Amino acid sequence: MTTPSGILSRFQSESSIRILQFVAGAIFVGIIFWQLQFSTNAICCGDFDGYYHVKWSRVLWEGMKHKTFPPAFPWLPLTTLNPKDYVDHHLLFHIFQIPFVAFSDPRLGAKIASAIFAALAVLSCFWLLLKYRIRYPLVWLIAVLACAQPFLFRMNMAKAPPFAIIYLIIAIHLFFKRKSWPLLPLAFIFTWTYDLFVLLVMAMFFWVMTIAITEYRFEWRPLVYVLVGCIAGLVINPYFPHNLQLLVEHVQIKLTTEDFPTRVGSEWYPYDSWQFLGNTVVACLAMVTGYITFEPFERRRAHFPLFFLLFSTALMIMTARWRRIAEYWPPFAVLFAAFTIQPWLEGIRSYPRRLPPDILEELEPFLDHSRNIMREWISTIAALSVALVLCIVLFFNLRATVHEIQDSEPHDHYRAGIEWLRTNVPPGQIVFNTDWDDFPRLFYFDSSHYYVSGLDPNYLYDKDPDLSRLYDRITVGSQDDPGPLIRDRFGARYVFSDNSHHDFFDEARASGWFDIVYEDTQCTIMYIRDEKVSDVLGP
């Protein structure tokens, strides 16, 4: 018989092992994200949005120091983010960034913050595995890291998604522990951090469904606390009621089943089938494993697997529609597999138990010990084999991610041209930027001027659809004599453009309205004349 001291000793031993596993996992994860983050000297990566987030965090900090909160945002006056209607729907994320970016080198601070936030998101998944004593947690940690190449890439961006994963993991733990009231402050904080708090609402509904299916009852408490927390986060908000208008705008545009009215970022378009499978092979295999090993008839043990089945399946469908969800579905697919296969690893569903009762009774004395040893050997060998395969996949994913990050523009991209703009153009003027996604770098390096479009082209479209369509025609070179239109309709005398807008440049040169006042290998700045001249600009 096991004595109380023996039980305590065993519990302490297991706790020590879990702590050591977590420390080892934290070191491993930290090294990976530090290496990925510093594969470039820029604020990572792919798009330029991180530059906006970092700069705005500094503006928030300056506003706090001068007792102005929230500060005005005058930099996109022609869009729905004009000074009157601007909404910071990442407010708490920007506040979290302040300790990192408030010093002399915000670029370095942003990179350190991004590496830490991404590591915490992965470690929150690892913590959940350890908390619920999932076997072979280090193998599952490797699976989370190897789940998808876009997951590694997007986790390194200086954006809010890592916090969404952290909040969702906390919420799932609260669901599983039947602790409902903490969901209210969690939902409030989530709503202030990121507008994808709707994922928490979705997870809550799936947990209510799980309880209804497994226990035949309606669990109302999570529903009430989550909804009240989200509503409170929207209403008790410095941007209320404009934040509600922006939320509705996002939902209307991004949830459309048709093509977008403007050219939005590639993240809002779907992957093609082979690209989807190639980028997320581990996540796909995790889903298949979960579907195969899930047993819906064992309701008493089906709570956790059923929840992850519903939640990860919904995220998978969303990822197939929008690449934007690529950082959410893959880790939860791995958690689905981990929680679903756990009963098999524990031997709860071992096949000898399914033998006829009379045969099982005769064989029981011989099977108990040998069965346990055999099960341990088989599961350990299988876990090591899976870990080896996952390490190979992780290696290739890391290599691909490093190359993709290194291929993104360096920190000084556009810097020389923007510094010319800041030095030679009087402050407060509107600059016509030919690409909406150039705005974050323009804002970061030159906040003394205002810009036509930025962060999302739909902000200009929703404010003035006709002006947005004119903007599109001008930037693709299909509008004759664009100079007077830029000057009179957009209020801009200077045009900033990267050098890839060849059709726009051809039209501008042929029109006789533009003077090139700055040019380098990355960008061109033009000035719109008062009058058209017949001697057009040469090549």
Side-chain angles (χ1 to χ4, degrees), residues 31-48 51 107 111 114-115 118 148-158 396-411 413 441:
I31 291 173
I32 284 177
F33 281 108
W34 193 266
Q35 178 188 2
L36 289 173
Q37 184 61 227
F38 286 90
S39 297
T40 176
N41 66 349
I43 297 174
C44 196
C45 37
D47 62 16
F48 298 157
Y51 282 88
R107 175 200 62 87
K111 293 178 73 60
S114 298
Q149 190 268 326
F151 172 73
L152 290 174
F153 183 81
R154 295 186 64 82
M155 279 290 100
N156 277 278
M157 293 181 172
F396 284 104
N397 281 352
L398 286 173
R399 190 173 69 169
T401 306
V402 167
H403 289 164
E404 188 172 3
I405 291 174
Q406 289 175 339
D407 287 341
S408 59
E409 285 80 2
H411 178 64
H413 191 69
R441 279 186 185 258

Side-chain angles (χ1 to χ4, degrees), residues 370-435:
S370 60
R371 182 173 58 221
N372 289 335
I373 295 176
M374 183 61 68
R375 185 189 305 125
E376 286 298 323
W377 272 102
I378 292 174
S379 60
T380 301
I381 293 172
L384 291 174
S385 301
V386 171
L388 178 61
V389 174
L390 289 172
C391 285
I392 295 173
V393 175
L394 177 59
F395 170 78
F396 284 104
N397 281 352
L398 286 173
R399 190 173 69 169
T401 306
V402 167
H403 289 164
E404 188 172 3
I405 291 174
Q406 289 175 339
D407 287 341
S408 59
E409 285 80 2
H411 178 64
D412 288 336
H413 191 69
Y414 293 162
R415 186 170 187 171
I418 297 174
E419 287 182 350
W420 185 96
L421 199 66
R422 188 179 68 244
T423 303
N424 293 278
V425 178
Q429 290 199 26
I430 295 177
V431 175
F432 186 95
N433 52 309
T434 58
D435 253 330

Side-chain angles (χ1 to χ4, degrees), residues 8-128:
L8 178 60
S9 176
R10 181 178 177 182
F11 175 78
Q12 291 175 339
S13 177
E14 290 179 353
S15 298
S16 299
I17 291 173
R18 287 199 297 272
I19 291 173
L20 289 174
Q21 288 174 326
F22 186 81
V23 171
I27 295 172
F28 182 52
V29 171
I31 291 173
I32 284 177
F33 281 108
W34 193 266
Q35 178 188 2
L36 289 173
Q37 184 61 227
F38 286 90
S39 297
T40 176
N41 66 349
I43 297 174
C44 196
C45 37
D47 62 16
F48 298 157
D49 284 357
Y51 282 88
Y52 154 73
H53 292 297
V54 171
K55 181 69 173 184
W56 181 241
S57 292
R58 286 179 65 91
V59 173
L60 279 176
W61 176 236
E62 292 299 321
M64 291 177 183
K65 290 193 295 184
H66 294 89
K67 299 181 180 180
T68 303
F69 184 83
F73 187 90
W75 290 278
L76 291 170
L78 304 180
T79 74
T80 54
L81 298 183
N82 62 76
K84 179 182 176 182
D85 300 318
Y86 175 77
V87 173
D88 181 2
H89 56 283
H90 301 81
L91 178 59
L92 202 53
F93 167 69
H94 292 139
I95 292 174
F96 290 151
Q97 273 196 326
I98 287 176
F100 299 93
V101 304
F103 301 102
S104 59
D105 189 356
R107 175 200 62 87
L108 178 60
K111 293 178 73 60
I112 294 173
S114 298
I116 292 173
F117 297 158
L120 289 176
V122 172
L123 288 175
S124 68
C125 299
F126 187 42
W127 171 83
L128 193 71

